[in-house]
Amino acid sequence: MNINEDTYRHKGLRKKLMDVLREKGISDEAVLNAMNNIPRHSFMDSAFDNIAYEDRAFPISDGQTISQPYTVAYQTQLLQIKRNEKVLEIGTGSIYQATVLAELGAKVFTIERQKNLFDKTKQYIFKSKYHNLKFFYGDGFEGLPTYAPFDKVIITAAAPFIPPKIMQQLKSGGFMVIPVDEGLQQRMLRLTKNDDGTYSEELFENFSFVPMLTGKANSILHKKV
Ligand code: SAH
């Protein structure tokens, strides 16, 4: 079987996963509909095919993870995406979250610091479907000044602090959804940028993310010799 095939079994499991997310409190049907349209199993190793629709994070390569569906739904719901909005994502990883944003019609700019993971984006299987999704290799703490300002920003790794350069690249009235804190748990914050450059803060649930690290990483450093 082609691992990218989206079978009736996958579709059925996906629909059940959307019910699980509804039960856990996700109420934005546009977000659930977008996630229901995306075959999550195609974003992970075929070894996980049978469990791809459980509400769990899974390992991808380079010690990184594909976020738990609940977390993806939660962050996306907080972003309140409207069509054609410019959205910056930090932490491309498996490309699943970026695809959910693209499916919602956003213009997505996603950055990954791990060369290996960035290189995989060249084989992105839905490339022809989402012309509104662009990949960048770089340090998310720097953002993408050339493409700024952004309507929305989503950070999908644990930020040790609120990155000042990213805040600068946010439009006035726009918001950033960011899990902040070092350690095992992060507080999910939504920061709305005010006209005077300050921001207002809303606090949500705790989540657990892999760390947001500074600088770019080259895959060579991670290979065993
Ligand atoms: N959004 C991803 C989640 C991946 S996990 C998904 O849907 O699968 C977080 C990712 O953030 C990892 O791939 C990690 O390498 C990346 N990351 C960590 N710090 C970063 C930084 N400073 N800039 C860009 N990416 C970063």
Side-chain angles (χ1 to χ4, degrees):
M1 192 191 74
N2 173 355
I3 60 147
N4 294 329
E5 197 185 335
D6 194 20
T7 64
Y8 281 112
R9 189 181 65 85
H10 289 124
K11 289 188 171 93
L13 290 172
R14 200 147 70 233
K15 214 158 172 286
K16 281 199 188 125
L17 173 60
M18 296 313 125
D19 288 335
V20 169
L21 298 179
R22 273 188 201 94
E23 278 160 28
K24 291 186 176 176
I26 303 297
S27 57
D28 186 335
E29 286 297 322
V31 172
L32 292 166
N33 187 46
M35 289 177 70
N36 195 39
N37 288 342
I38 300 168
R40 184 176 190 245
H41 64 277
S42 306
F43 292 78
M44 48 183 100
D45 193 280
S46 58
F48 297 118
D49 189 75
N50 280 330
I51 46 177
Y53 293 100
E54 290 181 10
D55 189 21
R56 295 167 49 183
F58 289 106
I60 51 174
S61 58
D62 300 83
Q64 301 304 325
T65 55
I66 174 170
S67 300
Q68 184 181 343
Y70 177 68
T71 308
V72 172
Y74 197 97
Q75 285 196 287
T76 310
Q77 180 166 285
L78 286 179
L79 280 174
Q80 298 174 5
I81 298 294
K82 295 181 196 73
R83 293 198 82 76
N84 294 320
E85 275 183 334
K86 275 170 72 180
V87 181
L88 172 66
E89 182 199 30
I90 294 165
T92 312
S94 70
I95 326 180
Y96 178 70
Q97 170 73 73
T99 304
V100 173
L101 299 171
E103 173 72 19
L104 284 165
K107 291 186 189 132
V108 186
F109 300 77
T110 181
I111 315 179
E112 175 56 55
R113 70 181 285 279
Q114 294 258 10
K115 183 75 165 61
N116 222 0
L117 289 174
F118 170 74
D119 285 345
K120 283 190 182 168
T121 65
K122 289 170 190 147
Q123 269 97 48
Y124 178 48
I125 52 167
F126 301 113
K127 199 178 268 178
S128 57
K129 185 169 180 195
Y130 300 109
H131 296 285
N132 50 334
L133 173 47
K134 293 195 167 48
F135 300 104
F136 298 85
Y137 172 48
D139 177 1
F141 280 99
E142 300 297 320
L144 287 175
T146 323
Y147 297 89
F150 297 96
D151 295 289
K152 311 272 167 77
V153 177
I154 172 173
I155 300 189
T156 67
F161 52 84
I162 295 160
K165 288 186 185 166
I166 307 296
M167 211 61 207
Q168 278 166 18
Q169 293 171 29
L170 191 61
K171 274 187 197 166
S172 175
F175 38 80
M176 160 147 75
V177 172
I178 173 172
V180 192
D181 282 342
E182 288 167 290
L184 292 178
Q185 294 240 303
Q186 288 76 45
R187 296 170 293 143
M188 190 67 78
L189 299 180
R190 181 165 62 188
L191 310 171
T192 305
K193 190 166 176 180
N194 303 319
D195 290 341
D196 62 3
T198 61
Y199 56 84
S200 353
E201 191 175 302
E202 294 165 276
L203 173 64
F204 298 92
E205 288 172 32
N206 280 351
F207 288 86
S208 185
F209 282 85
V210 295
M212 180 173 176
L213 303 169
T214 43
K216 289 194 248 183
N218 197 304
S219 54
I220 311 280
L221 299 171
H222 297 271
K223 282 197 181 127
K224 285 198 185 119
V225 263

